[in-house]
Amino acid sequence: MASEFDLIGRYFTRAAPADVLGVGDDCAMFPVPAGRHVATSVDLLLEGRHFFSDVDPRALGHKSLAVNLSDLAAMGASPLGCVLGIGLPQADEAWVDAFSQGFLALCDTHACPLIGGDTTRSNQGVVISVTVFGSVDPNLALRRDGARPDDDIWVSGTLGAADVAYRLLAGALAPDPVRLAATRAALEWPTPRLALGRALAGMAHAALDVSDGLLQDLGHILKASGVGAVLDYAALPVDPALTGLSPEDVAHAVLAGGDVYELCFTAGRQRRAAVQQAAREAGVPVSRIGAVQREPGLVVLDDSGTPMPLRTRGFDHFGLD
Ligand code: ADP
Ligand code: MG
């Protein structure tokens, strides 16, 4: 059976950029551009909790890094490198090979080299922890506490597809192979919006990536900024793959569905054209979905301007629902 060192050497070692000390020493070292700060984020993915045991390992490799790169995007940061901690119940080389291919392909796409990590045996399923490092101008970084009254609220891409794929795979929605085929990539191959985040740095007042559901995540911006918001339900970019689902399932998916990895951000009304231009250049559509207001609270208005009853909440790992 392959040892820890065999696995590291075969699947996780790549030549690092010339000015980077990568896999193989006690620490990795990388330069930080002058005048910028390091932005860093870590995510933990547990088998059975964050991914299904039979997930395509290439997709899992991709997603393990994508969710971290999405955090850099939401900060307006550019990747410098990443480290990977992985715990494996057994050394299934075909699995590790496919996982590393998915992971390293996304490293290449975003010039985010894998520069270190730790590999160990796990007694309880696959455990994956990825830490990314990026750089950002601290004065332009997209924090959560900068939303101001009368800001527009925007979201990139579409909403709801990942939640529907998750519920189809979990058996919470009746089997529908056509809809699963149309939504599965949103769940398993999310696209981190790095170009958009960079373009919004210094333009948006507050931003985050939607990982736990639009309402819950927007709530984090509102709380950190000491403001409230009104959303226009009809303006939400519902993924076309949701067509034909019940209104309740659609509302759950777009308002509370997690695993979205789109950017939700606020910007001054006078920046509308600039936001649209940034989105065009980044190659991702954005939708203006509401406005920040001084009074605390989060209201979603339906087509007739009536507040919708909001029973749906985001996916809270320590919550009871
Ligand atoms: P140490 O005992 O000094 O922590 P290890 O034997 O754990 O070193 O790791 C050897 C080298 O391989 C280190 O440079 C480490 O960063 C790297 N490494 C270990 N596991 C991984 C992995 N899954 N991905 C990338 N690099 C890894
Ligand atoms: Mg180690």
Side-chain angles (χ1 to χ4, degrees), residues 35-290:
R36 291 167 72 91
H37 282 192
V38 172
T40 184
S41 174
V42 60
D43 269 299
L44 191 56
L45 297 171
L46 306 181
E47 178 177 345
R49 173 100 204 155
H50 302 100
F51 57 93
F52 295 105
S53 301
D54 61 353
V55 70
D56 169 8
R58 273 185 72 239
L60 183 61
H62 170 95
K63 185 166 177 175
S64 302
L65 179 59
V67 300
N68 273 269
L69 290 174
S70 179
D71 284 321
L72 289 185
M75 214 66 199
S78 299
L80 293 171
C82 61
V83 295
L84 165 67
I86 185 162
L88 298 163
Q90 71 263 324
D92 177 345
E93 284 209 45
W95 193 96
V96 176
D97 188 15
F99 175 90
S100 72
Q101 283 180 33
F103 192 99
L104 292 169
L106 194 63
C107 288
D108 292 344
T109 302
H110 294 290
C112 182
L114 176 61
I115 56 176
D118 202 18
T119 306
T120 183
R121 187 174 296 275
S122 159
N123 296 333
Q124 288 241 309
V126 176
V127 179
I128 297 160
S129 176
V130 179
T131 301
V132 283
F133 302 96
S135 80
V136 68
D137 179 335
N139 300 309
L140 305 184
L142 299 170
R143 298 163 53 131
R144 297 180 174 190
D145 57 4
R148 305 175 199 167
D150 293 328
D151 272 2
D152 292 323
I153 301 172
W154 300 82
V155 69
S156 65
T158 65
L159 298 169
D163 181 67
V164 168
Y166 173 79
R167 295 180 77 201
L168 285 167
L169 289 169
L173 289 172
D176 183 339
V178 174
R179 199 182 300 282
L180 180 59
T183 54
R184 193 166 189 158
L187 179 68
E188 296 185 343
W189 294 89
T191 305
R193 303 299 188 191
L194 284 154
L196 180 63
R198 262 197 302 272
L200 292 173
M203 180 188 307
H205 291 154
L208 48 61
D209 62 322
V210 180
S211 51
D212 296 334
L214 178 66
L215 292 187
Q216 178 158 313
D217 286 323
L218 177 57
H220 295 318
I221 288 182
L222 302 180
K223 189 163 181 225
S225 303
V227 293
V230 179
L231 293 185
D232 176 7
Y233 187 73
L236 296 181
V238 180
D239 195 283
L242 272 59
T243 305
L245 285 173
S246 74
E248 293 73 28
D249 286 335
V250 173
H252 176 276
V254 300
L255 293 174
D259 270 324
V260 180
Y261 304 109
E262 294 295 347
L263 299 185
C264 176
F265 56 97
T266 84
R269 300 168 61 120
Q270 74 286 1
R271 308 308 289 270
R272 282 180 189 172
V275 167
Q276 291 286 6
Q277 178 65 20
R280 264 193 302 279
E281 280 167 16
V284 53
V286 290
S287 305
R288 187 157 52 81
I289 61 172

